[in-house]
Amino acid sequence: MKRIILLGLLLAGNIGLRAAGTEGLRCEYLDNPLGIDVTSPRLSWKVVSGKRGDCQTAYRILVASSAELLKKDRGDLWDSGRVPSDRSIQVEYAGKPLESRMRCYWKVQVWDAAGKAGPWSEPAMWSMGLLTERDWGGARWIAYRDDAQWREQWQAHKDRENSHREPTWPWFVGTGRTIWELYDMASPHYDPSPLFRKEFALGKKVKAATLYVTGVGYYEAFLNGEKIGDHVLDPAWTNFHKRTFYVTYDVTADVRRGDNALGIMVGRGQYNPLCNDIWRLGSSLWVGQPKAIALLSVEYADGTTADIVTDGSWTTAGGPILYDDTRHGELYDAREEKAGWNRPGFVADGWRPAAVVDGSGPLYAQMMPPVRCFAPIAPVKTFDKGNGRTAYDIGRNIAGWARVRVSGPAGARVLVEYCELPSDPELVPDIHPSKMKFKIGDPDYASFYDKSINIRQQNGYILKGGGPETFECRFSYKGFQYIRVTADEGVTVERVEGVPVHTDVADAGSFVCSNETVNRLQQMSRATLLNNIHSIPTDCPHREKQGWTADTYMTDQTAIYNFDMAAFYAKWATDLAGTADRNGGLCTVAPSTGYDQSISTVWPAAIVFVPWDLLCYYGDRRVVERHYETMKRFAESSLLRQADGKPEIIREVLGDWVSPHMTLSDTLQSYEMAPPEGLTLYGTASHYRVVKYLAGIARYLDRPQEAERMDAWAARIAESFNREFFDPATKTYHGDKPTPYRQAANVVPLEYGIVPQSDRDAVQRNLISDLQKYDGRIGTGFVGTMALMDLLPQVDPELAYRLATQPAYPGWGFMVANGANTMWETWDGSASRNHPPFCLISGYFYKYLAGIRCVSEYPGFKRFVIDPSVVGDLTFVEAWHDSMYGRIESGWKRDGERLTLDVTVPVNTSAVVHVPAASAEGITESGRPAAEAPGVRFLRMENGKALYEVVSGTYRFQSSI
């Protein structure tokens, strides 16, 4: 009742102000998407208003088949009418059935808290893709060879390579070889990347032209000599045998009346990798030769239509990319370029008809942000290494490739190599020799070869001569800070730049504070996350490029605070679900050929946690509905790994990954890949957490009986866990192997909620005591660190901040003190230096230092919490996050005992704000007593903070602390 009265007073004070409007219209998380294949797309918008406490009370959506009809306020596809509702996100289209190639134009109007109608929004649109196979108009997949011939050639290559296997993890053939050597290893050579072309004439004025196209593993498409779009590394990697993505382009401005030409260049990508690796990508269920499919749909001004499709009338030839592999690299021979091949009038001598071949998996629209190139980075240092070699330091670790400009004679060669941390002491003066696992007498010491990867990151270029030539990769990317260019005699290297390449996710957050170590960690986290999103979330861009599942759920909340990740993670959740075996077991990486299938609970538990986070942060009910049955089957599959005679105790192969020792060893390799306490504790704890989350999901989906069953199951797991791993005498947890006290083994059951309530305080005291014993140094790997940085800020905020900024090993501050600019895989930096899991620290900054936290009962930040931690040496924090409803802001500063807290709550939401204060007396909001401020309702004092419920608006609280 108090809240209703408060809202009424607010409305009375707002009379005369403009009604609420709308902005940020999106369809399936995307701005004006082309070619979607969801027949009930979800629409979202943001409500804008200058009134404190304003909200949406109703909406009306119009969807029209033309922009002209929409302008006349006619929704011939859907007129929702006035719908009394505060829902402004995830509103499902409910109009006439949508068909392939249809264009839909829409706008929305909302009514504000006073019931006043606002203006119509600016128009937005989406278009439908191709919903069935027949809608492709007879388009066929085309390739360089017929399938039987290619398969025979492929098998012959693999038989020869496997007869010379090199037992060097994780690569088995070609370790350490240059691109020239790799190319010549295969005799006969692998086929070059094929080119496909088709000329066609358009005899009438064109009203619209749309291209639907894909090529696996990667492709580039051209129309009349110009590349279509700015995507790179397209299409997105997925389980290609189950689905393959196509992309839709509006090419109306690119076609012309008269003669035209379409061209497609196709690379191998992860569809046809040449590298023989431990993940068996080269023998995957989907492996096949590079191929393409396309449909160009033309609508003439007179209403007639025409389709140009890939078929046997297209011609093909080998292109200038002689060799390409996502890990081994690329070799480009500019002498093999076919000038004008993608333009009309080209004389295609020597070209042959393209082979019509079997397709990849079923075709689906690529409904996620594409991978793009970003602004190039000039080197900050250059080193002349003699003998035609020059090394460049671009100053920071990135994912992408080098762009190189050279001039020289035809046939001259240039080798470009990449490394995140070379062993060359001239480039990195303070590097410890063991970082690259070399001894000073090793012939590869002081080289660019990273022995921790056991493969060269490289690409090669052969000049055509005749003037300056600029080249870069097309079908593989690298992880690096350093570039080395080795040029033949007579070649002049004119310019070298690093080109960042990653999925183009929009910014969704910012965090800055008074502590520069924290700011550096925030920058490192953002950079590392971007370096590891290339249509899937990866573990590292230089070594594996694999979608390790736990790495993803440990950092998905951090990524969401920083970037718009909704469409990206929704796509990847389906990749993970697609790795299921007949028992419901999942793989530890996704996409996957079956690597590590059904051997882990800790890692593939991402199938539960990532969809849950999409629900909590974006209000995405559909993603949990879609994967609910897969989640349940995965939970049940863990029972296949029960320890003998120990029900619900789950064997595991991956636990608290890279858990550190507590002193820095001479070798700089001070960690355990498998923690000394063993793995079973983590398998069982994750089993519990999965089942407990499933209970919450079942309740959300209104399945109360299943929720009760899951709760009972979780209780049985907890009982077995405590019987197996808990020592009631010492109030500590242990693994299946005897060790001294281990932080991860104790914080995981605490954070997961497994510890009996009667023992919780004692177990927690022991954990804090151990952290204090080691002066705030962290003793956990991936799993334990995630649990620690969620638990500790809630029970001891000062100690949590101390861990976050700890300058000694092991700790995040140690990375900063030792020059890191991206996050390390291990606390000592002796493995990958571009690895996401420890980026979870950025999530701590948003959730606890700024205090911006979602509430799962109110998905999408419909109602949320602002609960900042005023700790340590911090004098200010400024943060914002763009939720589906609008921008949330939380910023505080302290001056002595005076605290100012600035908060912005988006229109159509509410929040509970925790104001640090000695007492509620004297707290003001915008200069008046907080208890009397409009839109503010005092709730209670709790843990040294005054709690206020607030409606939408901007607030300034001031208190004494």
Side-chain angles (χ1 to χ4, degrees):
M1 178 61 71
K2 289 182 180 179
R3 189 175 180 188
I4 295 172
I5 294 171
L6 179 63
L7 187 57
L9 291 172
L10 277 172
L11 295 176
N14 286 328
I15 291 172
L17 295 177
R18 289 187 60 189
T22 53
E23 63 181 16
L25 276 64
R26 298 203 298 173
C27 172
E28 288 296 318
Y29 300 119
L30 303 172
D31 297 324
N32 300 317
L34 297 178
I36 70 170
D37 56 8
V38 177
T39 55
S40 297
R42 295 164 297 177
L43 308 177
S44 301
W45 58 89
K46 294 176 181 176
V47 183
V48 292
S49 172
K51 307 173 188 175
R52 180 179 282 195
D54 211 351
C55 62
Q56 173 187 299
T57 56
Y59 67 81
R60 181 185 178 193
I61 298 171
L62 292 182
V63 184
S65 58
S66 71
E68 292 76 17
L69 285 173
L70 188 70
K71 192 172 184 179
K72 296 175 183 178
D73 296 340
R74 290 177 56 193
D76 61 323
L77 296 179
W78 185 35
D79 183 344
S80 71
R82 184 181 184 278
V83 180
S85 172
D86 65 351
R87 190 172 182 185
S88 60
I89 69 171
Q90 311 288 4
V91 177
E92 287 194 6
Y93 170 84
K96 293 180 181 178
L98 299 176
E99 300 175 357
S100 292
R101 311 193 200 186
M102 182 181 283
R103 285 179 175 261
C104 305
Y105 301 84
W106 71 289
K107 60 184 179 181
V108 64
Q109 179 186 39
V110 301
W111 282 257
D112 65 11
K116 185 177 180 181
W120 284 105
S121 70
E122 291 297 314
M125 63 84 62
W126 79 84
S127 72
M128 299 304 296
L130 305 174
L131 302 179
T132 68
E133 185 177 346
R134 66 177 178 274
D135 293 327
W136 280 85
R140 303 291 301 276
W141 285 91
I142 57 175
Y144 187 63
R145 299 182 183 276
D146 68 67
D147 279 335
Q149 187 182 40
W150 174 84
R151 215 171 297 279
E152 181 181 354
Q153 179 202 62
W154 175 256
Q155 192 59 52
H157 278 306
K158 292 304 158 188
D159 288 345
R160 280 191 296 271
E161 290 168 4
N162 289 329
S163 68
H164 298 91
R165 286 171 69 88
E166 300 152 1
T168 307
W169 186 93
W171 325 109
F172 299 125
V173 179
T175 299
R177 288 175 173 80
T178 66
I179 195 71
W180 323 112
E181 294 168 328
L182 289 167
Y183 178 61
D184 288 333
M185 274 179 63
S187 180
H189 293 134
Y190 282 102
D191 287 338
S193 295
L195 308 177
F196 303 104
R197 70 181 311 273
K198 170 75 174 181
E199 289 197 30
F200 60 96
L202 299 178
K204 293 181 283 189
K205 183 180 179 181
V206 174
K207 178 182 178 182
T210 306
L211 179 67
Y212 308 89
V213 61
T214 192
V216 287
Y218 294 134
Y219 77 94
E220 291 185 355
F222 303 85
L223 185 53
N224 297 328
E226 300 297 325
K227 182 182 172 182
I228 298 169
D230 58 359
H231 301 191
V232 296
L233 303 178
D234 241 0
W237 184 17
T238 186
N239 301 297
F240 289 118
H241 61 305
K242 295 193 172 182
R243 58 178 183 163
T244 297
F245 294 114
Y246 67 90
V247 178
T248 303
Y249 293 98
D250 184 339
V251 293
T252 306
D254 303 293
V255 297
R256 57 198 183 205
R257 190 168 183 170
D259 293 335
N260 294 263
L262 265 173
I264 305 174
M265 174 189 290
V266 186
R268 299 179 185 278
Q270 301 289 24
Y271 183 72
N272 183 211
L274 302 181
C275 187
N276 299 285
D277 57 65
I278 193 171
W279 302 284
R280 303 188 299 276
L281 289 174
S283 58
S284 66
L285 295 172
W286 60 70
V287 71
Q289 65 174 317
K291 62 189 73 172
I293 189 170
L295 161 64
L296 175 61
S297 174
V298 179
E299 180 184 354
Y300 291 115
D302 63 6
T304 59
T305 61
D307 287 347
I308 295 89
V309 300
T310 46
D311 55 23
S313 68
W314 285 54
T315 56
T316 185
I321 298 179
L322 304 183
Y323 182 100
D324 71 288
D325 180 74
T326 53
R327 293 179 177 80
H328 279 322
E330 294 182 34
L331 174 55
Y332 188 102
D333 188 343
R335 299 171 300 177
E336 296 297 320
E337 291 177 345
K338 278 79 172 168
W341 71 274
N342 47 22
R343 296 180 181 275
F346 174 73
V347 179
D349 290 341
W351 289 57
R352 64 173 187 256
V356 174
V357 297
D358 292 337
S360 181
L363 289 161
Y364 290 87
Q366 183 166 295
M367 293 168 50
M368 62 182 291
V371 179
R372 289 190 169 104
C373 297
F374 295 85
I377 304 168
V380 296
K381 293 179 183 177
T382 302
F383 305 85
D384 184 352
K385 305 300 293 182
N387 297 319
R389 290 183 174 184
T390 307
Y392 305 85
D393 176 3
I394 64 170
R396 60 187 176 94
N397 212 353
I398 69 169
W401 50 65
R403 183 176 295 153
V404 182
R405 179 183 171 95
V406 296
S407 58
R413 305 191 308 180
V414 179
L415 178 66
V416 183
E417 298 170 277
Y418 305 81
C419 194
E420 65 168 10
L421 195 66
S423 62
D424 187 333
E426 182 184 1
L427 275 64
V428 189
D430 57 349
I431 192 170
H432 193 293
S434 68
K435 167 62 184 77
M436 307 310 276
K437 303 183 176 70
F438 292 117
K439 296 179 180 178
I440 292 178
D442 192 310
D444 279 317
Y445 178 70
S447 82
F448 227 66
Y449 176 47
D450 185 342
K451 203 167 183 177
S452 71
I453 302 175
N454 285 322
I455 196 170
R456 291 188 185 277
Q457 297 189 93
Q458 59 187 319
N459 60 285
Y461 184 79
I462 303 174
L463 280 72
K464 60 186 173 186
E469 305 173 42
T470 300
F471 66 93
E472 57 191 286
C473 291
R474 274 188 164 92
F475 299 138
S476 70
Y477 70 93
K478 333 291 181 184
F480 64 98
Q481 178 172 331
Y482 297 87
I483 306 164
R484 186 170 72 180
V485 178
T486 304
D488 281 356
E489 187 175 353
V491 174
T492 301
V493 179
E494 299 179 1
R495 185 172 66 246
V496 175
E497 299 171 311
V499 180
V501 178
H502 56 77
T503 297
D504 189 9
V505 290
D507 281 345
S510 173
F511 179 94
V512 66
C513 70
S514 59
N515 184 302
E516 281 309 306
T517 294
V518 171
N519 292 338
R520 279 279 303 278
L521 289 169
Q522 169 66 6
Q523 294 161 8
M524 288 163 56
S525 297
R526 285 177 57 93
T528 305
L529 290 167
L530 290 175
N531 288 340
N532 282 284
I533 51 172
H534 295 83
S535 78
I536 67 167
T538 61
D539 61 329
C540 54
H542 57 285
R543 184 179 69 206
E544 300 182 27
K545 299 181 172 72
Q546 288 284 338
W548 283 97
T549 47
D551 298 41
T552 301
Y553 76 72
M554 290 172 184
T555 55
D556 70 329
Q557 292 183 23
T558 291
I560 287 167
Y561 275 109
N562 284 287
F563 307 107
D564 182 358
M565 302 297 295
F568 181 90
Y569 282 139
K571 174 266 181 187
W572 183 79
T574 302
D575 291 340
L576 177 52
T579 71
D581 64 14
R582 63 187 179 189
N583 295 314
L586 300 171
C587 295
T588 57
V589 297
S592 179
T593 64
Y595 174 79
D596 271 8
Q597 194 167 50
S598 274
I599 66 171
S600 172
T601 297
V602 178
W603 253 243
I607 192 60
V608 175
F609 304 145
V610 172
W612 175 256
D613 286 339
L614 289 174
L615 171 63
C616 292
Y617 285 84
Y618 297 109
D620 193 335
R621 178 187 178 97
R622 187 176 289 178
V623 73
V624 293
E625 287 178 327
R626 177 180 298 148
H627 298 300
Y628 180 67
E629 293 301 321
T630 301
M631 297 175 192
K632 287 199 303 180
R633 296 191 70 235
F634 168 69
E636 291 159 359
S637 75
S638 293
L639 297 176
L640 299 175
R641 295 187 301 279
Q642 291 178 111
D644 293 343
K646 297 180 179 181
E648 306 291 357
I649 301 300
I650 308 301
R651 295 191 301 269
E652 179 58 51
V653 297
L654 295 164
D656 192 34
W657 187 255
V658 292
S659 183
H661 301 309
M662 295 309 288
T663 57
L664 192 60
S665 69
D666 293 336
T667 65
L668 270 180
Q669 295 171 41
S670 178
Y671 60 89
E672 298 285 349
M673 289 187 178
E677 64 269 24
L679 302 169
T680 310
L681 176 144
Y682 301 105
T684 309
S686 290
H687 180 46
Y688 170 87
R689 189 170 187 245
V690 162
V691 174
K692 196 65 180 172
Y693 268 61
L694 273 173
I697 292 170
R699 273 189 290 274
Y700 180 80
L701 297 179
D702 196 24
R703 304 184 185 190
Q705 291 182 336
E706 290 198 8
E708 290 177 10
R709 182 172 70 86
M710 294 295 175
D711 279 333
W713 187 7
R716 292 196 301 272
I717 299 169
E719 184 179 349
S720 296
F721 183 96
N722 288 314
R723 185 167 54 246
E724 182 73 12
F725 301 114
F726 184 55
D727 183 343
T730 61
K731 305 298 184 185
T732 60
Y733 284 84
H734 55 80
D736 51 305
K737 298 178 181 178
T739 63
Y741 185 89
R742 296 290 293 171
Q743 291 176 12
N746 286 271
V747 72
V748 163
L750 275 169
E751 171 57 19
Y752 291 7
I754 305 175
V755 181
Q757 193 61 39
S758 59
D759 297 310
R760 186 172 179 84
D761 287 346
V763 174
Q764 191 169 284
R765 281 195 300 271
N766 285 331
L767 172 67
I768 291 174
S769 175
D770 190 78
L771 288 165
Q772 291 171 337
K773 171 185 174 183
Y774 287 102
D775 194 28
R777 288 187 295 158
I778 202 163
T780 52
F782 289 1
V783 176
T785 301
M786 177 184 175
L788 192 60
M789 294 313 293
D790 270 334
L791 175 77
L792 201 59
Q794 300 178 64
V795 299
D796 194 332
E798 288 288 349
L799 184 55
Y801 179 71
R802 194 165 148 207
L803 259 69
T805 55
Q806 171 63 255
Y809 172 85
W812 283 281
F814 178 79
M815 297 187 199
V816 172
N818 284 270
N821 57 69
T822 46
M823 206 66 74
W824 298 348
E825 178 182 13
T826 59
W827 292 112
D828 63 5
S830 59
S832 164
R833 292 197 167 205
N834 205 345
H835 232 77
F838 291 142
C839 293
L840 62 87
I841 192 64
S842 171
Y844 158 76
F845 299 154
Y846 283 97
K847 287 192 288 186
Y848 297 106
L849 295 188
I852 301 172
R853 296 204 290 277
C854 72
V855 178
S856 61
E857 291 81 4
Y858 303 92
F861 287 97
K862 180 65 174 171
R863 179 175 170 86
F864 58 93
V865 169
I866 298 289
D867 183 10
S869 294
V870 180
V871 290
D873 59 356
L874 290 176
T875 58
F876 77 87
V877 161
E878 295 176 2
W880 58 263
H881 169 65
D882 282 339
S883 74
M884 293 282 284
Y885 290 97
R887 180 160 294 185
I888 299 167
E889 295 181 280
S890 174
W892 58 264
K893 61 181 178 180
R894 58 175 165 177
D895 182 7
E897 295 182 351
R898 192 68 174 163
L899 179 82
T900 301
L901 172 62
D902 292 313
V903 173
T904 298
V905 180
V907 179
N908 212 26
T909 71
S910 62
V912 174
V913 180
H914 297 230
V915 181
S919 74
E921 299 298 321
I923 298 178
T924 63
E925 191 286 304
S926 298
R928 73 191 90 188
E932 301 173 11
V936 178
R937 182 165 71 92
F938 176 71
L939 298 176
R940 62 186 176 277
M941 286 295 297
E942 182 176 284
N943 299 323
K945 296 179 180 179
L947 275 60
Y948 296 92
E949 181 181 30
V950 302
V951 293
S952 65
T954 298
Y955 301 85
R956 169 162 286 190
F957 292 94
Q958 291 185 306
S959 65
S960 297
I961 56 175

